[in-house]
Amino acid sequence: GLFKNFRHDEENPNSLADDNVTSLYLDSSGGFWIGTNTGLDFYNARTDRFVHYRNQPSNGNSLSSNIIYSIYEDNSGILWIGTYTGGLNKYNRQQDRFTYYRHDPDHPNSLSGNLVFPICVDVNGIVWIGTYGDGLERLNPVTGRFTHYRHDPGNPDSLSSDDIYSILPDQNG
């Protein structure tokens, strides 16, 4: 019944990297992933330490953006990370490898917008992504192709808004 308070400590490199926490995720191993305005932190309770993941512009295998809005782990242990302006990141922890999905105006099957809020993976392994201003996205992780769902004022069966703040599966998946 006790709370443990984590704060950023300039003199401790193993502390939380930033006090502005934007997202939390408890993974299948019991570790905590913490999204902040300065990157992604992983907290291991056994070691009582934080591991920091940051955008490093000269490193193609780092986060695409340091502002993290969402974190989701799929059934195979892959982390999906939604960022502000950096699109969607896929992090394979076993390979220590990041893959980026970003908007590319020259490719209509790319992510439609780079402000990624909620992420959810359905029972079939399809990744659903909510964006701010660019609607709902459906990613086939095998092909890397996105299907876009947008608000259409002329279609009452379309999304009511292109700002998606949460995604949850119903009891039927």
Side-chain angles (χ1 to χ4, degrees), residues 2-168:
L2 296 177
F3 283 92
K4 186 170 183 177
N5 189 4
F6 297 100
R7 301 201 53 94
H8 174 66
D9 179 351
E10 289 283 334
E11 296 178 16
N12 181 359
N14 295 315
S15 72
L16 184 64
D18 187 3
D19 289 334
N20 189 353
V21 173
T22 55
S23 55
L24 291 170
Y25 191 84
L26 176 64
D27 73 14
S28 58
S29 72
F32 281 98
W33 293 90
I34 302 130
T36 71
N37 279 343
T38 60
L40 181 67
D41 286 354
F42 176 73
Y43 175 72
N44 183 330
R46 289 185 298 269
T47 63
D48 196 32
R49 291 183 175 208
F50 288 88
V51 176
H52 309 293
Y53 298 84
R54 303 288 171 266
N55 171 262
Q56 301 166 357
S58 61
N59 180 356
N61 190 39
S62 68
L63 282 171
S64 65
S65 169
N66 281 330
I67 301 176
I68 309 300
Y69 280 160
S70 55
I71 308 160
Y72 192 93
E73 180 184 29
D74 68 19
N75 288 337
S76 62
I78 298 293
L79 282 182
W80 297 91
I81 304 157
T83 71
Y84 176 79
T85 71
L88 178 68
N89 287 235
K90 173 183 168 183
Y91 181 54
N92 183 322
R93 290 183 283 175
Q94 292 178 340
Q95 298 174 356
D96 190 29
R97 191 89 186 119
F98 283 92
T99 303
Y100 310 135
Y101 299 91
R102 295 183 183 142
H103 174 66
D104 182 346
D106 295 329
H107 292 92
N109 295 110
S110 71
L111 184 65
S112 64
N114 289 325
L115 275 77
V116 173
F117 280 6
I119 302 167
C120 183
V121 180
D122 69 21
V123 295
N124 298 313
I126 299 298
V127 182
W128 293 89
I129 301 108
T131 68
Y132 181 75
D134 291 297
L136 179 67
E137 301 285 302
R138 179 185 187 271
L139 169 63
N140 180 327
V142 175
T143 65
R145 297 172 62 102
F146 288 84
T147 303
H148 315 293
Y149 301 91
R150 303 289 304 261
H151 170 67
D152 177 357
N155 180 356
D157 295 325
S158 72
L159 291 175
S160 59
S161 172
D162 286 332
D163 299 333
I164 310 298
Y165 295 104
S166 61
I167 304 170
L168 293 172

